Amino acid sequence: MNNLSIFEVPTYGEVTLCEVDGKVHSMHYEFANIAAFTNSLETHPNIHITPNLLHRRSDEGKSVFVTVDEPFLKRLIHAYYEHGMIEMLNTAEEFGPSYLKNIVSVVFLVLNGVKILRNKLTSTTIENDLTLMSCISHTRFWMTSSIRCIAWDSYDIKIAVATCDDAIRIYSHNSNFIPILKCKQQKNITCLAWRPFSNSELAVGCENGIFVWNIDQTSMITRPSINNASILRRINHVPVVSIAWSPTGDILASAAARDPSILIWHVERNETSTLSMPGSHGNCLVKWSPRGNKLLTATVERVFRIWNCETWTSERWNVLTGRIQACCWSPCEGIVLFVSNTEPIIYALSFTHLEMIFATSENSATLATPLYDLSRGEIDGVIIGGTVQNMEWDPRNNIVAVLFQDTNYVAIFKVTIDPTIHLNPCCLVAGVPDEKPVCISFQGNFEHGACLSIGWSSGRVQHFPIVRPEATTSSSIISKEFYNSSSFHNSGTSFKSP
Amino acid sequence: MRKWRSRTKSESTNASAATNSNLIDPKPYKDIILSKISCAVTYTMLFHFLFILLYVVIVNHNFMAPEVWLRSILYSISCFSFWIYILPVVVLIFFKTALSSKSLLTKTNEGSSTLRELISGLSVKIIFLVLHIIGGGFVVWLYLSLSEDQYSALYSKCDGHTCMQEGGLFLILNGAWNGLYFYLRTQSSHKMLLFPVIQQSKFCNFKAEFFTIVNESKWFALYPTIYFTLLYHCLSSIVYQICLEFGVEIQHQQFGIPLYFLTWVFSTVYVIHANVFEFLFKLFLTEQIRLPLTRTDKNAPSLADALSLDTVPILQQLASLDLYLLSLWSPERRQMLYALSQPGGHPYTWNQLIDVILMLVNNFTESLNNNMEAISTPDLVRPQNTSTHKNFDATLTTVPVPMKYLNIRSSQTSSIASIAEIQTNDSLQVQQTIYVRLMKILSDLYGYFKNIGIIKQIFGTSKDAKIQDILKSGQSMELMISALGNIVVESVREDPYGVIQRDVPDIIASLFQLKIALERLNKSSILLKKNSSHSSVKLSNSVYGATKRSLIKICRRFRNYLHEFNLKKETVGQLRSIF
């Protein structure tokens, strides 16, 4: 099994800009200019989320006003509406009359007792929602980073950027008009997904549920109102941590960290079907295969499942330790790569050759293949690798990007599938010194090869193109390539048999 | 692209397909549906029986003596009274099923007046309401009868004569109240049978939904229990009085937390029963059926036949679902669509299918457009202005044409001959003119009364209701349109003869027209009105979403050939803006 030591480490102070014709280009961050190497990003939007762009929902605004003495009841009502029940109880305990203080302290005691009991019964620690979301999220420093997640539209040059002020900004090519999607109920965004074949619908997973925004392309309204969004919410299905549209765009799958069921939504009807997963306490990941034949769902424990979307039967799999942190499907959907949150190893599962997932026990694989060792290590004084935060596979090319939890380089691999799956190191992407990568997303329709967008801790979004000489702009060839990719397959011999 | 016979005009297509739908015998299809309904009834009864059995196991529990426990369970089940108690519930299930099936197996009359709809709807609703109230009471009575506690017998001996136990009465009345509450909250409005979002196996579906049903029922039952308890305590004196009037004395009992808890438990049990009935009914009826793509014999009509059979709505929906699932998961069945006949080499299967689909889509669009026009334009039939001048003109136009020009001499011999007739028929002409005027006055009066607000409301047909009726077929329309998009896109790789490609312009044109009609509908005030049902808005949005996605899919796939299709320039321009 290969490891990261064969990667070439970028020079300190240089920003990795692009890979053109197999050659990686980097420049000193003060003079970085990608146009010197390729003009493939001419129409791409420049994105930099600076602190003054953010409109935080915190109490910053309050400091401008002189505090006034409010009646106790009014204060309680304000606390309830602005911060919820617990804060109202805290206010009552702090400012209320003595008998109320006693009652509230009893309520807190009971709540704590219930919490302890639940902890004992479920044998897992009941974490705060935000902590849990932060742990599960595919974004590094989710809690503090100004960029929470990014998502490319699969057809247009259009990217959605969710920020820590609970807003989503839509950047399009050749346009300075940036719609901002924000509403009061949309708090703590965890994931974004553009609806296929719609051009204008964006699903947003957040603490309170799912918001499906319908953005009128012809409208020049900067802040569309909540009337432009459908709210998909179920009482127990919170916080939503992962969403995925089926490739036909008909249905939406969602996973919530505290709900053992995966919900499949018919968005317009606001109706759901449930994929029940007995024994789990919550889910952290849903990922549809590119052609919609399979759906990977992962629980917050060791179990993950691969569903056959025709019959909705599932194959149950376990990781050795921890839970699935990230996974990605190959464009031919014959292979899925996954990593756990505790082990720095990329595993591969294949079901192209013998349809192993749904085959009988005699000819099916029972073990995934460890593919690449990403253990943390030091090369020329630079620390790279470690456990993985997120991993993405370009929808049209065999290129995989890996974002690490603790180190500051994004690793890019080129994948060969035929005859056996193999990850070949391509390059490490470095940002400006002190910048840390927080999230990644591939542009699905980049005509010159592959384009990885990286959100950095500074609020900058970098587009890293991998320009291939043979890449053509002809859509017919691209689609031909996409459909012919079903001929890729992995040899069954690379998997351990039971 | 290989060219087949030039496509027939849509009018002729419509006519042929419509005629075809009239010729199809719905009996074999109805048999399929009846078998599904009978399965639903059987499983509902089985579920009820198991639930009651579970109750018997719990109430007879004796952990210290399992043998006695088992014996008492067996005794309870083998007892004749046990089955007698169950019988009313079984009868109620049959009645409920029969009423629920009616709307699925017969098409609602779109042109019926509000009054007729009200009368027909009200009768069914009243029967349903009564069934729910009786069912609620019966279920609680059944469970009480099977237990051994103080409420098991409704009557008891007190001071030498028989009197009614208040606790038991309270619980049974609460059951009836629950039936009423459940009906008013969930059943009073017309409910559509919506297909599940994904087609899981029945067992998986039941497993996934059962605990949700139990959970929701638990909370749902809480409110009616509280309302009833409050209501009972406020109106208990009236209940005593009524009972006394019937010669029944009530033995007063102390109400305590255990009784209130029991009330909530029985309420929950009733709501679970009612919800499970609904769920199982939906589960069996919405299960996919595989229809043959070609008609093999008279008793096994094809998918296209089933799609055109709009007289049995559930069959049309099941056929649409089959088509949708075919478009997603069955390359082998799709190959049959592209197949050519031998000998002849004609794509009969596809032609038959696409004719029906386009007819349905066009009819849907046309109905929407017609009704929206009727709403957007002011009523043409207004109370007429009765000025003499206008009346004169109107009369002139209503006189039959040959009579109008009788005073003009014609050079033709036949006209000369007829002058004699005119002279002899003078009195007849006067009579006819009076008759025509009288008829005109009567029709004016009829028009005037017809347009008086309240009469129009009662005896007329509401345009909004018509649109909502049209949207009832929205679910099958959505499935069909999605399927069409998928098939056309897949055909690029799968269709070796270009069978589908021939029809792409027609498909695009139909979908585009539908999209425009739905956009108009969504922008109009019809769906925004307070009284327009929420489901209509959802269905309209679903069909719109499916249409838009299918159009985008097809246009993206054929984007380089759009200019070759025989489409209007404006249409192509608008399509380019969509995708």
Side-chain angles (χ1 to χ4, degrees):
Chain A
M1 193 166 39
N2 287 333
N3 59 32
L4 293 171
S5 61
I6 47 178
F7 269 92
E8 209 170 284
V9 180
T11 316
Y12 181 79
E14 286 197 345
V15 179
T16 321
L17 291 175
C18 58
E19 194 220 73
V20 181
D21 300 347
K23 195 179 173 193
V24 180
H25 298 278
S26 50
M27 284 177 96
H28 192 271
Y29 68 92
E30 283 177 359
F31 316 106
N33 178 20
I34 195 166
F37 305 105
T38 174
N39 56 5
S40 59
L41 295 185
E42 268 177 349
T43 56
H44 279 55
N46 286 320
I47 306 166
H48 197 166
I49 309 291
T50 50
N52 58 347
L53 277 179
L54 302 173
H55 308 283
R56 286 180 192 276
R57 213 192 289 264
S58 64
D59 295 340
E60 279 171 13
K62 281 186 180 175
S63 58
V64 217
F65 299 100
V66 179
T67 49
V68 286
D69 282 334
E70 284 178 326
F72 175 65
L73 193 63
K74 205 172 176 183
R75 190 176 285 182
L76 278 186
I77 293 167
H78 277 177
Y80 176 73
Y81 275 108
E82 283 174 20
H83 303 287
M85 180 64 85
I86 298 292
E87 191 53 38
M88 188 189 80
L89 290 174
N90 279 326
T91 314
E93 198 178 27
E94 197 176 339
F95 302 105
S98 58
Y99 70 89
L100 196 64
K101 280 181 183 175
N102 292 337
I103 294 171
V104 171
S105 56
V106 169
V107 171
F108 274 126
L109 268 176
V110 171
L111 287 177
N112 275 333
V114 170
K115 201 173 176 182
I116 291 163
L117 193 71
R118 272 183 69 185
N119 268 335
K120 284 192 175 170
L121 288 174
T122 57
S123 75
T124 51
T125 48
I126 303 291
E127 291 167 286
N128 174 285
D129 263 359
L130 288 181
T131 322
L132 188 64
M133 288 159 81
S134 178
C135 285
I136 289 172
S137 173
H138 286 152
T139 304
R140 199 175 161 201
F141 311 121
W142 179 82
M143 206 92 95
T144 52
S145 166
S146 55
I147 297 176
R148 286 246 158 114
C149 46
I150 52 178
W152 274 102
D153 183 28
S154 56
Y155 194 77
D156 268 351
I157 302 180
K158 194 160 59 179
I159 185 170
V161 181
T163 47
C164 60
D165 59 348
D166 301 327
I168 299 148
R169 289 167 174 78
I170 313 287
Y171 296 86
S172 309
H173 71 293
N174 291 334
S175 170
N176 293 325
F177 176 67
I178 303 162
I180 299 172
L181 314 176
K182 189 174 179 175
C183 69
K184 199 180 171 188
Q185 300 97 314
Q186 184 179 278
K187 284 180 186 169
N188 298 315
I189 299 163
T190 51
C191 45
L192 299 172
W194 286 96
R195 189 174 197 168
F197 303 112
S198 81
N199 279 353
S200 56
E201 282 175 73
L202 177 73
V204 181
C206 62
E207 194 181 1
N208 302 329
I210 305 165
F211 292 74
V212 182
W213 289 90
N214 197 336
I215 311 142
D216 186 358
Q217 288 173 306
T218 54
S219 166
M220 293 302 282
I221 298 168
T222 326
R223 279 282 297 269
S225 74
I226 186 68
N227 292 335
N228 295 56
S230 319
I231 304 172
L232 311 175
R233 195 183 293 171
R234 293 290 181 272
I235 298 167
N236 296 321
H237 197 67
V238 285
V240 174
V241 286
S242 182
I243 51 175
W245 288 101
S246 70
T248 53
D250 296 343
I251 48 179
L252 175 77
S254 69
R258 295 210 190 282
D259 187 5
S261 303
I262 296 284
L263 293 187
I264 310 288
W265 299 82
H266 185 294
V267 173
E268 284 83 11
R269 290 202 321 237
N270 198 348
E271 291 238 339
T272 55
S273 279
T274 311
L275 296 179
S276 71
M277 300 208 269
S280 77
H281 296 109
N283 294 291
C284 61
L285 189 63
V286 278
K287 202 109 177 181
W288 231 295
S289 68
R291 286 185 213 166
N293 292 329
K294 294 181 178 72
L295 174 74
L296 188 146
T297 63
T299 65
V300 288
E301 289 110 28
R302 287 168 52 209
V303 180
F304 71 99
R305 283 179 169 83
I306 293 172
W307 297 83
N308 178 340
C309 297
E310 185 183 354
T311 56
W312 292 103
T313 47
S314 68
E315 178 101 346
R316 185 188 154 119
W317 289 79
N318 288 316
V319 285
L320 294 174
T321 55
R323 59 171 165 78
I324 285 227
Q325 172 64 33
C327 74
C328 52
W329 289 91
S330 64
C332 63
E333 78 173 22
I335 291 164
V336 63
L337 303 182
F338 65 89
V339 281
S340 77
N341 65 332
T342 51
E343 217 181 356
I345 294 174
I346 299 177
Y347 287 93
L349 269 177
S350 169
F351 21 83
T352 312
H353 197 52
L354 290 170
E355 278 292 326
M356 286 181 180
I357 290 291
F358 300 101
T360 54
S361 56
E362 286 79 32
N363 62 0
S364 68
T366 53
L367 288 174
T369 311
L371 206 63
Y372 210 95
D373 182 8
L374 301 170
S375 296
R376 194 182 160 109
E378 194 180 317
I379 309 170
D380 303 334
V382 176
I383 298 168
I384 56 167
T387 48
V388 173
Q389 187 78 41
N390 194 11
M391 182 167 63
E392 293 276 336
W393 195 320
D394 181 60
R396 293 198 305 197
N397 298 283
N398 285 322
I399 291 168
V400 169
V402 178
L403 172 72
F404 298 100
Q405 274 177 7
D406 305 314
T407 49
N408 302 334
Y409 296 90
V410 176
I412 294 178
F413 298 90
K414 286 185 177 169
V415 190
T416 50
I417 298 181
D418 205 5
T420 55
I421 183 161
H422 198 75
L423 292 187
N424 305 301
C426 174
C427 61
L428 291 171
V429 182
V432 177
D434 298 334
E435 261 187 347
K436 297 173 177 85
V438 290
C439 52
I440 53 172
S441 176
F442 272 109
Q443 182 189 345
N445 56 344
F446 189 63
E447 292 178 341
H448 308 277
C451 177
L452 176 73
S453 292
I454 305 167
W456 294 92
S457 54
S458 61
R460 181 174 69 95
V461 176
Q462 178 192 358
H463 307 300
F464 182 83
I466 299 163
V467 182
R468 300 189 318 179
E470 71 272 23
T472 63
T473 53
S474 164
S475 62
S476 57
I477 292 179
I478 288 166
S479 58
K480 193 180 162 193
E481 181 188 19
F482 177 75
Y483 282 109
N484 284 345
S485 58
S486 59
S487 61
F488 296 157
H489 62 267
N490 182 31
S491 162
T493 52
S494 65
F495 292 94
K496 291 175 188 170
S497 52
Chain B
M1 279 188 232
R2 187 175 161 180
K3 290 275 179 194
W4 298 101
R5 62 168 170 77
S6 64
R7 184 153 194 83
T8 53
K9 294 279 180 196
S10 62
E11 289 83 6
S12 62
T13 311
N14 292 357
S16 67
T19 324
N20 194 25
S21 76
N22 293 333
L23 293 173
I24 299 160
D25 177 19
K27 196 177 171 297
Y29 290 114
K30 283 199 173 176
D31 289 346
I32 299 170
I33 302 303
L34 286 176
S35 71
K36 278 170 169 267
I37 292 171
S38 52
C39 277
V41 171
T42 313
Y43 277 90
T44 307
M45 286 195 291
L46 188 69
F47 171 80
H48 279 48
F49 176 73
L50 290 175
F51 212 80
I52 292 165
L53 197 66
L54 182 72
Y55 176 74
V56 171
V57 171
I58 293 167
V59 292
N60 290 309
H61 73 277
N62 190 346
F63 295 109
M64 306 312 288
E67 200 186 323
V68 178
W69 186 7
L70 194 67
R71 204 176 296 155
S72 58
I73 292 166
L74 287 174
Y75 174 76
S76 298
I77 297 168
S78 58
C79 199
F80 185 66
S81 60
F82 175 82
W83 299 99
I84 290 292
Y85 290 146
I86 286 184
L87 200 64
V89 178
V90 172
V91 173
L92 283 171
I93 291 171
F94 269 111
F95 270 113
K96 268 177 86 173
T97 312
L99 283 172
S100 305
S101 317
K102 193 177 163 271
S103 64
L104 301 171
L105 291 171
T106 51
K107 193 187 176 189
T108 50
N109 191 0
E110 282 174 22
S112 62
S113 68
T114 315
L115 184 69
R116 195 182 292 174
E117 243 177 52
L118 196 75
I119 291 166
S120 64
L122 207 65
S123 55
V124 175
K125 280 181 180 177
I126 288 171
I127 298 170
F128 244 117
L129 175 69
V130 172
L131 280 178
H132 274 89
I133 294 172
I134 296 173
F138 258 131
V139 166
V140 177
W141 170 75
L142 169 69
Y143 278 86
L144 284 177
S145 309
L146 294 172
S147 65
E148 299 272 318
D149 68 357
Q150 52 175 326
Y151 307 115
S152 61
L154 192 58
Y155 292 95
S156 64
K157 289 275 178 199
C158 52
D159 303 331
H161 60 277
T162 312
C163 54
M164 195 184 267
Q165 283 200 28
E166 195 181 7
L169 179 70
F170 176 77
L171 289 170
I172 290 172
L173 284 179
N174 176 60
W177 166 263
N178 266 312
L180 174 74
Y181 185 86
F182 184 82
Y183 175 79
L184 292 177
R185 280 296 300 272
T186 61
Q187 308 284 304
S188 54
S189 59
H190 179 78
K191 281 182 84 176
M192 276 192 65
L193 190 73
L194 292 175
F195 282 79
V197 182
I198 51 170
Q199 287 284 318
Q200 287 175 288
S201 71
K202 287 195 289 288
F203 178 67
C204 286
N205 213 336
F206 185 78
K207 205 172 65 173
E209 297 293 337
F210 180 68
F211 290 105
T212 318
I213 288 174
V214 172
N215 213 12
E216 282 173 4
S217 303
K218 198 169 66 185
W219 295 112
F220 184 92
L222 192 65
Y223 295 102
T225 311
I226 293 169
Y227 299 151
F228 180 75
T229 309
L230 294 174
L231 208 67
Y232 185 85
H233 286 300
C234 292
L235 306 172
S236 55
S237 58
I238 298 172
V239 176
Y240 301 150
Q241 216 168 352
I242 292 168
C243 287
L244 276 174
E245 274 181 25
F246 283 97
V248 182
E249 198 181 323
I250 289 182
Q251 187 187 11
H252 296 284
Q253 280 178 334
Q254 199 72 32
F255 281 73
I257 289 173
L259 183 66
Y260 294 134
F261 179 71
L262 204 62
T263 314
W264 175 64
V265 168
F266 282 132
S267 301
T268 308
V269 166
Y270 170 73
V271 178
I272 290 173
H273 275 291
N275 278 331
V276 166
F277 169 80
E278 299 269 317
F279 174 71
L280 287 176
F281 192 71
K282 186 178 163 182
L283 187 72
F284 278 90
L285 277 170
T286 57
E287 192 192 7
Q288 184 204 3
I289 51 169
R290 271 202 169 199
L291 293 158
L293 290 172
T294 49
R295 194 187 286 194
T296 46
D297 67 89
K298 205 184 169 186
N299 288 330
S302 64
L303 176 66
D305 293 338
L307 281 172
S308 62
L309 202 73
D310 57 355
T311 47
V312 190
I314 183 70
L315 277 173
Q316 202 180 33
Q317 290 174 9
L318 282 167
S320 311
L321 178 72
D322 187 35
L323 181 70
Y324 175 68
L325 294 175
L326 170 153
S327 75
L328 283 177
W329 306 115
S330 301
E332 302 84 17
R333 288 181 81 200
R334 285 200 297 271
Q335 282 301 326
M336 289 171 72
L337 285 180
Y338 317 133
L340 303 178
S341 65
Q342 288 296 337
H346 293 286
Y348 287 125
T349 315
W350 169 252
N351 282 348
Q352 199 190 4
L353 188 71
I354 194 65
D355 282 354
V356 171
I357 294 174
L358 289 184
M359 176 201 72
L360 290 169
V361 172
N362 291 338
N363 285 352
F364 187 79
T365 312
E366 203 179 322
S367 313
L368 282 179
N369 283 334
N370 289 343
N371 283 292
M372 275 189 295
E373 269 164 27
I375 289 167
S376 56
T377 53
D379 284 337
L380 294 173
V381 189
R382 288 276 177 217
Q384 296 290 314
N385 186 339
T386 49
S387 78
T388 343
H389 178 72
K390 280 200 173 175
N391 263 351
F392 180 66
D393 285 347
T395 320
L396 275 182
T397 50
T398 53
V399 175
V401 174
M403 285 188 181
K404 271 203 254 180
Y405 306 105
L406 284 178
N407 56 340
I408 301 171
R409 184 182 288 259
S410 166
S411 58
Q412 284 182 345
T413 340
S414 58
S415 298
I416 298 166
S418 63
I419 294 171
E421 285 173 34
I422 297 163
Q423 285 165 347
T424 54
N425 287 339
D426 255 0
S427 58
L428 179 70
Q429 196 182 338
V430 172
Q431 277 175 12
Q432 277 180 342
T433 316
I434 292 167
Y435 173 75
V436 168
R437 284 192 177 179
L438 197 69
M439 287 308 290
K440 177 75 182 75
I441 292 165
L442 283 174
S443 74
D444 282 355
L445 273 172
Y446 175 69
Y448 175 76
F449 282 116
K450 217 173 113 180
N451 283 292
I452 292 175
I454 191 158
I455 295 174
K456 196 179 175 185
Q457 280 288 323
I458 296 170
F459 295 101
T461 315
S462 156
K463 302 281 189 314
D464 298 7
K466 267 190 180 176
I467 291 223
Q468 286 177 15
D469 269 339
I470 297 163
L471 285 173
K472 276 179 193 166
S473 61
Q475 183 170 231
S476 39
M477 201 51 63
E478 181 197 353
L479 291 168
M480 263 188 281
I481 290 164
S482 303
L484 205 55
N486 293 339
I487 290 172
V488 170
V489 169
E490 289 297 328
S491 73
V492 175
R493 286 193 302 141
E494 294 175 347
D495 176 11
Y497 309 112
V499 167
I500 312 286
Q501 286 172 27
R502 180 183 56 102
D503 291 317
V504 174
D506 285 341
I507 293 170
I508 292 177
S510 292
L511 293 183
F512 187 69
Q513 290 304 320
L514 177 59
K515 183 181 161 285
I516 289 172
L518 287 164
E519 273 170 359
R520 274 182 64 199
L521 178 70
N522 289 342
K523 279 177 192 165
S524 74
S525 57
I526 303 162
L527 294 180
L528 300 173
K529 281 183 184 170
K530 267 188 179 176
N531 58 355
S532 73
S533 68
H534 199 47
S535 63
S536 298
V537 181
K538 284 181 181 177
L539 281 170
S540 161
N541 288 338
S542 305
V543 182
Y544 178 70
T547 311
K548 199 176 158 192
R549 279 196 301 279
S550 288
L551 264 177
I552 293 176
K553 269 180 211 172
I554 296 169
C555 291
R556 279 185 189 172
R557 177 58 73 202
F558 290 94
R559 64 179 169 183
N560 296 330
Y561 310 103
L562 273 184
H563 62 278
E564 288 179 21
F565 294 149
N566 190 17
L567 295 167
K568 285 180 191 169
K569 270 189 178 177
E570 308 91 75
T571 311
V572 176
Q574 288 186 15
L575 283 173
R576 286 199 186 279
S577 71
I578 298 171
F579 70 90

